[in-house]
Amino acid sequence: MQSEPPGGDVLAVKGVRDIATGLVLLALLLTGQRRALGWAMAAITFVPAGDMVIVLTEGGPASHAYGVHGPPLSASP
């Protein structure tokens, strides 16, 4: 019997979320919806901020919250 790694369910959910997000962006890109693509990308920038808040409010280590989810918030284009 194979054991599940800790947090495996969370990683599965995040994986599905990331794939779905990528498919939405790809669909907008392929159909030439540039304005909608821009708005979708702007909205998606809130995902790491939400993840960071969840880690912090659930008692996760601050180093993990800021180290894993913080860099996308400060990345320059």
Side-chain angles (χ1 to χ4, degrees):
M1 183 182 228
Q2 186 176 359
S3 64
E4 185 82 15
D9 294 338
V10 173
L11 294 177
V13 169
K14 287 184 73 160
V16 170
R17 178 185 71 187
D18 291 346
I19 291 170
T21 300
L23 290 174
V24 168
L25 294 178
L26 182 63
L28 292 172
L29 179 67
L30 293 177
T31 58
Q33 301 293 322
R34 293 185 307 184
R35 185 174 298 253
L37 177 63
W39 281 109
M41 290 176 68
I44 290 168
T45 62
F46 290 99
V47 171
D51 290 344
M52 185 174 64
V53 169
I54 290 169
V55 171
L56 291 172
T57 58
E58 293 298 318
S63 61
H64 179 81
Y66 296 121
V68 174
H69 304 291
L73 300 174
S74 62
S76 60

